[in-house]
Amino acid sequence: MINKVGVIGAGQMGNGIAHVMAVAGYDVFLKDVGEIQLERALSVIDNNLKRQVGRGKLEDADRVAALARIKPVLTDDYLAEVDLVIEAATENEEIKKAILAPLGPQLKPEAIIATNTSSISVTRLAAVTDRPSQFMGMHFMNPVPVMKLVELIRGIATSEETFNAIRDLSVNLGKTPTPAEDFPAFIVNRILLPMINEAIYTLYEGVGSVQAIDTAMRLGANHPMGPLQLADFIGLDVCLSIMQVLYEGLADTKYRPCPLLVKYVEAGWLGRKSNRGFYDYSTDTPTPTR
Ligand SMILES: NC(=O)c1ccc[n+]([C@@H]2O[C@H](COP(=O)([O-])OP(=O)(O)OC[C@H]3O[C@@H](n4cnc5c(N)ncnc54)[C@H](O)[C@@H]3O)[C@@H](O)[C@H]2O)c1
């Protein structure tokens, strides 16, 4: 039975995971490296919960109860109490391995460990823990409180019992779980990122302008957002790193990152978070840059 959960990493994804867990009634310990990160995460969660109340999706009493279920922590004492740890720290293999390796001896023997990694091999991460059969990928989408999907990734040693426990938990969170094998970028990013990369090639080769490409895909393929607008939202550095994982992991030139994407990242034009990507966000209405 999963009742208490530890979430390691209180960034964009970790705070969203803590949010949905707490709303679903789980007790959550939210861990990060400093007070600043934890304070920021709690304030984001508070704002997002209030927005859900404002939209009639949550009662105010449930917002208060959810917030009370989240305990920010800086030390590891909580580990002895939890039934599940979800690692949602920075996407860097060395950082993740350093977090995961020492967990085992501090956890209950039956506790499960999950990782929210977008691209690192689940099997490789499992191998540094003392419990590869109780380890798997639980890949939430951003923003977590809004997006319905959770990709569930088995490592080579993941047991059926572990997989079923995380599948049932995902359903309890109101999400739809989809199984994906442990291949680079799993399903969503394996399909989505090459499309975005192709949209950037289309721009690079002058087939269309930023506006033409986004309008074409919104109105011609019924996508809610154009691919270049979506790239800016995801972050162009994140897009590039996923393309590199596909290119190197699958050793196929069809995943070659577009040189224009590389140039934008080198220029520090990372999309919304840096105020400039394929659009310029310094004005009220984003203006296309090409
Ligand atoms: N951003 C997305 O769209 C998205 C979507 C799905 C999955 N992911 C995955 O989720 C994970 C987190 O991504 P994010 O976008 O939330 O990143 P982020 O940079 O917003 O947050 C990462 C957090 O981890 C913390 N951290 C780093 N080292 C730590 C340590 N040793 N102990 C505790 N906390 C530590 C950082 O201080 C930071 O607050 C990554 O694996 C990423 O690939 C991201």
Side-chain angles (χ1 to χ4, degrees), residues 7-17 31-34 37-38 40-41 73 76 78 87-92 95-96 98-99 115-120 138-144 189 233-235 238 241-242 273:
V7 178
I8 303 180
Q12 207 172 181
M13 296 305 289
N15 77 53
I17 296 168
K31 165 104 194 277
D32 209 301
V33 292
Q37 287 84 350
L38 290 172
R40 199 187 305 136
V73 291
D76 280 344
Y78 72 95
E87 176 280 309
T90 314
E91 186 75 347
N92 172 301
I95 292 178
K96 289 194 188 290
I99 291 171
T115 173
N116 188 47
T117 182
S118 302
S119 57
I120 302 168
M138 188 178 191
H139 185 222
F140 289 87
M141 307 290 124
N142 184 27
V144 182
N189 288 336
F233 180 76
I234 295 172
V238 177
S241 101
I242 297 173
K273 62 185 162 193

Side-chain angles (χ1 to χ4, degrees), residues 101-242:
L103 290 182
Q106 306 177 75
L107 291 169
K108 295 192 244 181
E110 66 275 21
I112 294 174
I113 308 175
T115 173
N116 188 47
T117 182
S118 302
S119 57
I120 302 168
S121 157
V122 169
T123 299
R124 221 158 51 226
L125 292 177
V128 304
T129 74
D130 67 345
R131 57 192 72 200
S133 67
Q134 288 158 242
F135 188 99
M136 62 182 277
M138 188 178 191
H139 185 222
F140 289 87
M141 307 290 124
N142 184 27
V144 182
V146 177
M147 300 294 280
K148 284 275 174 228
L149 186 76
V150 183
E151 282 183 304
L152 301 185
I153 305 108
R154 286 185 180 89
I156 198 165
T158 307
S159 72
E160 207 49 29
E161 202 181 343
T162 299
F163 185 86
N164 292 343
I166 298 299
R167 184 199 55 206
D168 293 349
L169 167 69
S170 308
V171 172
N172 282 345
L173 298 178
K175 305 293 183 198
T176 302
T178 309
E181 294 305 317
D182 189 16
F183 278 83
F186 317 130
I187 295 177
V188 173
N189 288 336
R190 166 86 177 254
I191 298 171
L192 183 63
L193 268 296
M195 185 204 68
I196 287 175
N197 195 48
E198 199 60 31
I200 303 171
Y201 268 113
T202 312
L203 179 69
Y204 181 60
E205 291 169 10
V207 181
S209 64
V210 168
Q211 189 138 34
I213 292 164
D214 275 355
T215 305
M217 291 307 285
R218 271 193 295 108
L219 304 185
N222 239 0
H223 289 192
M225 227 188 236
L228 300 173
Q229 188 190 358
L230 181 58
D232 277 1
F233 180 76
I234 295 172
L236 302 189
D237 51 340
V238 177
C239 292
L240 177 59
S241 101
I242 297 173

